[in-house]
Amino acid sequence: PEARSKGEQCVKASRTMSARHLLAPVVRRGAAAVRNAPATRRFASNVSASADIENLYSGGLLTGFRKAYCGPLPPSYTVDEALTKLPPTKVSSLPNGMRVATEKTPGESVCVGVFIKSGSRYETAESNGSAHFLEHMFFKGSKNKSQGQLELEIENMGCRLNAYTSREQTVYYANVLKEDTNKAVDVLAEMLLNSTFDPAAIEREKNTILQEMEVVERVEEEVVFDNLHYTAFQTSPLGRTILGPEENIRGMTRDHIVNYIQANYVAPRMVVVAAGNVDHDTFAAHVAKAFAATPETPSGPSVITEQAPAWFTGSDIRVRDDDMPLAHVATAFEALEADHPDSFATMVMQAMLGSFDSSMPSAVHSSSEMTSVLAGYNSREYPLVQSAMAFNTQYSDTGLIGVYYVTEADKVMEAQWAVMKEFQNLCHNADDHLVEIAKTQLKATMVNQLDSGLSQVCEDIGRQMLAYGRRMSLAETFARIDAVDAPTIRRVAMELCNDKCIAVSAKGGVSSLPDYNWLRRHTWSLRY
């Protein structure tokens, strides 16, 4: 979704694009073909270091655009001057391969984060759950400081320290006052490099994680999406849950944890990010000192020499429980990886699908036919669902795009019809008016997220650094969005959704959910 070259990547608004800045030629590809695509075809790999708008296009920064299908930006297109005044993201690499990225903004606080390319996808079946378990253990004391000393140091700084694990990344971050930035780096380094993983603490933490698992299993949305990954990526580690199975948690040992660290917590897979009132050079120098002992190469028995491909399997998984008052249903097609040239088109598609919940009565006027119908613009003149949301999940080599909704059991059939019909609308009926509305909504969502706090900025930088090795300027991001037009949406939707297999996950009162053959037949339309 966004990326920026190493160093500053601001573009000048005073320049306009000429006809010679046409977009790169197209090679038509579907979701499956991207696995064999050379790196040079991916927009994140070709980066121009120049700040000149002409070089921005000719040097490769926007070569992911496709001339034949993606409408070229008009000769009159200009970059909004306000976007060029936003603070740049500075990036540097340390001798051990670790990267440091900062974005300086006025204020009294800083968010420091360590982003690691690790997660449940990099586990084996036997070690599934190690990444999440490890996240808990980093707060339990180190070689130099006890758990109490670490907690006291964090408390005295007024630091808000947190962490999370996903399928492809693990993140540790701290929000502190600007004068405590170096202390926050030291605390994170102490936790990540010197934790002791006391066997007694491991045994105590098992109960905590098992309780967490019980809580997660009561959240229907979490269960549905875990099952969706399980059925969509049946032969891949991507299909495993983040927490891992109960037997793995009960059998977790210090060796499992240490082996996972040795295999994944290495400098080239790590990015240290700071957002706020911070000087890049000073911060990078301190990070280099604090993380000097980080291993440069993976080792141990848990090293995965070759990442298993995430083959998508058209299938469904249904957990029928007629005693549940509601049905929870997710329907997904295989989508594109994060750095695919058409990834911005899928983000616009997500915005076109829309979202709805019972607190949004105005959704009946949505530009999305699906959202409008689900919200009450139908023969019943009553909402068909309690809530619905489109999702577009992107991974390093695949993705999922679809719709998740919650409704009463007797409305599942109608709701599913509206969902399947909307994907056909994307394939055949997407017009410029609807696309422009979705592009505006997408831009607003991005800006609102970045404006919500330093944690979101830090998260955005770290995520893009792991995915692309750079961070896009907002100017480039908006240019990529503006280059998506109706023909692009129809082409990408045809490649991803028209007569393609789907994955379906459902739980609750789903007796009226049509069978898989019905769902599969409704991925195409007879048109004359």
Side-chain angles (χ1 to χ4, degrees), residues 48 110 118 129 138 329 375 382 399 454 486 501:
S48 169
V110 174
S118 70
F138 276 132
V329 183
Y382 190 82
L454 292 177
C501 289

Side-chain angles (χ1 to χ4, degrees), residues 478-520:
F478 280 15
R480 289 185 178 279
I481 294 173
D482 288 334
V484 176
D485 56 8
T488 303
I489 293 296
R490 294 194 295 268
R491 173 181 62 82
V492 174
M494 287 289 289
E495 291 178 351
L496 297 181
C497 308
N498 191 64
D499 197 16
K500 296 295 190 297
C501 289
I502 57 174
V504 179
S505 172
K507 183 180 180 181
V510 296
S511 58
S512 62
L513 179 66
D515 63 67
Y516 187 84
N517 286 334
W518 184 97
L519 297 172
R520 182 63 177 82

Side-chain angles (χ1 to χ4, degrees), residues 267-304:
R269 298 171 68 119
M270 301 171 70
V271 181
V272 182
V273 178
N277 198 339
V278 60
D279 177 74
H280 178 80
D281 293 336
T282 302
F283 180 77
H286 191 78
V287 170
K289 180 180 178 181
F291 285 88
T294 308
E296 297 183 25
T297 56
S299 61
S302 296
V303 174
I304 299 176

Side-chain angles (χ1 to χ4, degrees), residues 393-442:
T393 307
Q394 297 178 331
Y395 296 107
S396 59
D397 60 349
T398 187
L400 292 172
I401 185 169
V403 176
Y404 165 75
Y405 63 84
V406 181
T407 188
E408 289 85 3
D410 62 337
K411 298 175 183 174
V412 172
M413 178 72 175
E414 290 175 89
Q416 192 65 33
W417 175 277
V419 170
M420 302 307 295
K421 187 173 186 296
E422 189 64 15
F423 281 105
Q424 284 300 295
N425 285 340
L426 290 177
C427 294
H428 304 291
N429 301 327
D431 59 34
D432 288 328
H433 175 66
L434 297 177
V435 172
E436 288 303 317
I437 293 175
K439 285 156 63 172
T440 300
Q441 293 171 341
L442 177 58

